[in-house]
Amino acid sequence: MSQADFDVETLLARLEVSLREELARRRLDDPAMIGVHTGGAWIAEVLHRRLGFSEPLGYLDISFYRDDYPQSGMNPDVRASKLPFRVDGRNIVLIDDVLYTGRTVRAALNEIFDYGRPAEIVLGVLIDRNGRQIPIQADCIGGRLELEPGQRIKLTGPEPLQLTIRTGGR
């Protein structure tokens, strides 16, 4: 991915097209959308409007579902998850900003299933990067990125939404 490909608007447009195609291919009518706090929620807010979903947008804070909770401690910005629709039997579009190790998505799936058993889940991510530790893959992506060990990509926002790459730390 070149520096020009870091344009969030371009990535959002690609993800939107990919989601439209995947939802049509699977014939998923009237799905509900969930964004993973924080970056995934920002991306989901944009896509929810653009795709014209009828149900209100749902939000997940997976802090208590993370498998690194004992090592990293409590996230100081914990928010309540909010799913203003029935999950049981629903088609769900789950949105996150960056798919890296797969652990955030695993935690999000665990929390969603605590609310009920969805019919299908489509995973959309703005960036799919290397470094998977769990066999999870996105159905729809805005772009792919290969980073060196120790490099991180971070979405900041919500206004404006921007991607930055940095070395070390969180």
Side-chain angles (χ1 to χ4, degrees), residues 75-118:
N75 177 351
D77 297 322
V78 173
R79 300 173 183 155
S81 292
K82 179 182 171 190
L83 299 184
F85 45 78
R86 186 177 56 81
V87 169
D88 239 11
R90 289 299 303 267
N91 296 312
I92 303 289
V93 176
L94 177 62
I95 302 293
D96 203 7
D97 54 352
V98 178
L99 177 56
Y100 176 26
T101 64
R103 292 178 185 277
T104 297
V105 172
R106 187 227 27 102
L109 292 171
N110 285 356
E111 184 169 357
I112 289 169
F113 276 83
D114 279 352
Y115 282 87
R117 186 179 184 274

Side-chain angles (χ1 to χ4, degrees), residues 94-157:
L94 177 62
I95 302 293
D96 203 7
D97 54 352
V98 178
L99 177 56
Y100 176 26
T101 64
R103 292 178 185 277
T104 297
V105 172
R106 187 227 27 102
L109 292 171
N110 285 356
E111 184 169 357
I112 289 169
F113 276 83
D114 279 352
Y115 282 87
R117 186 179 184 274
E120 290 190 43
I121 298 176
V122 174
L123 175 61
V125 298
L126 192 66
I127 297 287
D128 183 0
R129 70 154 288 184
N130 58 313
R132 207 78 75 243
Q133 297 172 351
I134 296 175
I136 289 178
Q137 69 180 21
D139 299 297
C140 303
I141 64 165
R144 294 185 196 279
L145 182 63
E146 294 284 325
L147 293 177
E148 296 297 321
Q151 285 187 308
R152 302 244 185 261
I153 187 159
K154 174 96 173 137
L155 179 71
T156 57

Side-chain angles (χ1 to χ4, degrees), residues 45-59:
E45 287 167 358
V46 174
L47 292 170
H48 189 267
R49 281 191 305 272
R50 289 184 183 182
L51 294 168
F53 279 41
S54 61
E55 292 280 353
L57 179 61
Y59 296 92

Side-chain angles (χ1 to χ4, degrees), residues 3-80:
Q3 194 62 24
D5 289 330
F6 281 4
D7 177 61
V8 173
E9 185 50 45
T10 300
L11 295 169
L12 277 167
R14 289 180 192 156
L15 180 53
E16 177 186 353
V17 168
S18 183
L19 283 166
R20 285 185 191 282
E21 291 171 353
E22 186 68 11
L23 293 174
R25 186 184 71 75
R26 291 192 193 185
R27 295 184 176 98
L28 301 182
D29 294 326
D30 198 32
M33 183 177 283
I34 300 170
V36 179
H37 278 299
T38 304
W42 296 333
I43 299 300
E45 287 167 358
V46 174
L47 292 170
H48 189 267
R49 281 191 305 272
R50 289 184 183 182
L51 294 168
F53 279 41
S54 61
E55 292 280 353
L57 179 61
Y59 296 92
L60 284 184
D61 185 321
I62 52 100
S63 295
F64 293 114
Y65 288 80
R66 295 191 58 88
D67 62 6
D68 62 355
Y69 173 72
Q71 292 87 11
S72 63
M74 174 56 75
N75 177 351
D77 297 322
V78 173
R79 300 173 183 155

